[in-house]
Amino acid sequence: MEKLVLTLTLIICLSSVFPLQLETHLVSGAKKITRLYFYLHDVIGGDRPTVWGVADCNLTDVLPSAFGKLVVLDNLVTYGPELDSGEVGRLQGTVGLADLREKALVMLLNLVFTKGEFEGSTLSILGRNPLGAESREVSIVAGTGVFRMAAGYIITSTYYNDPAGVRNVYEYSAVVYHMDPNVVSLRR
């Protein structure tokens, strides 16, 4: 008991010398919802691929799920399904095939906005993407710039699978909850 009293006394004395500064603000009305709709171009072959395999395991070529394959990507994101429909940004990151039974991706990606009203902002995407499902959902776990403190989800589906295996196109529909960057500031 004597040690506890001594410890508490020391904490109280130190806190008066080094006061902890906390600042709490009510951010009512600062939360926003943004809905986004765009297309991802996955170029896996041809002269200028945007997806590159970096690792696999001894099961990758044996299992139909391609378990253990790891790729990095830097894919074009556009307003429409055509390559020339206008650039929104780039989807960059790492994707692995992490299911022994079915083709399912584990995705760790950043959507980097390079054009338009969100230029310079990012969204961080994390989640499981079972490629056999018609519609898939992945999480938005963070953001920067306009999308500071983002959370949300993306519904994705395959728009086009190239029979030659060169380019696939995916539809993305996103709902993003985030703070108004004009309200959230690092300055006092």
Side-chain angles (χ1 to χ4, degrees):
M1 183 67 174
E2 188 176 308
K3 285 184 179 181
L4 179 60
V5 171
L6 182 60
T7 302
L8 288 174
T9 304
L10 182 60
I11 289 172
I12 291 169
C13 289
L14 285 176
S15 67
S16 64
V17 174
F18 304 105
L20 180 63
Q21 295 188 9
L22 296 176
E23 194 171 327
T24 305
H25 297 279
L26 181 62
V27 290
S28 174
K31 200 125 182 143
K32 295 178 85 177
I33 298 174
T34 301
R35 290 176 179 19
L36 303 166
Y37 192 73
F38 52 89
Y39 291 83
L40 168 70
H41 300 269
D42 210 21
V43 183
I44 47 183
D47 295 338
R48 299 179 68 191
T50 59
V51 179
W52 292 88
V54 293
D56 57 13
C57 72
N58 58 357
L59 294 175
T60 302
D61 294 330
V62 176
L63 295 174
S65 66
F67 178 82
K69 184 170 185 66
L70 183 67
V71 300
V72 293
L73 53 92
D74 183 5
N75 290 338
L76 176 65
V77 175
T78 60
Y79 290 104
E82 298 81 24
L83 279 170
D84 62 355
S85 63
E87 182 175 330
V88 173
R90 308 291 298 187
L91 192 67
Q92 302 169 333
T94 307
V95 173
L97 285 119
D99 190 314
L100 288 166
R101 295 165 300 283
E102 67 174 312
K103 275 199 174 183
L105 307 176
V106 59
M107 300 172 31
L108 178 57
L109 301 169
N110 288 306
L111 174 53
V112 181
F113 292 89
T114 57
K115 307 276 186 198
E117 71 178 289
F118 306 124
E119 183 176 347
S121 299
T122 66
L123 289 172
S124 296
I125 301 164
L126 175 68
R128 183 178 189 272
N129 184 348
L131 296 177
E134 188 174 320
S135 178
R136 288 109 44 201
E137 183 173 339
V138 292
S139 300
I140 295 170
V141 297
T144 64
V146 171
F147 299 112
R148 192 174 290 154
M149 296 179 67
Y153 62 92
I154 293 174
I155 304 295
T156 182
S157 60
T158 303
Y159 179 82
Y160 172 74
N161 259 335
D162 183 1
V166 174
R167 181 174 75 95
N168 298 319
V169 180
Y170 300 97
E171 276 183 279
Y172 275 58
S173 179
V175 176
V176 187
Y177 302 91
H178 57 97
M179 300 305 289
D180 183 340
N182 297 317
V183 174
V184 179
S185 175
L186 296 177
R187 296 181 184 189
R188 291 185 177 178

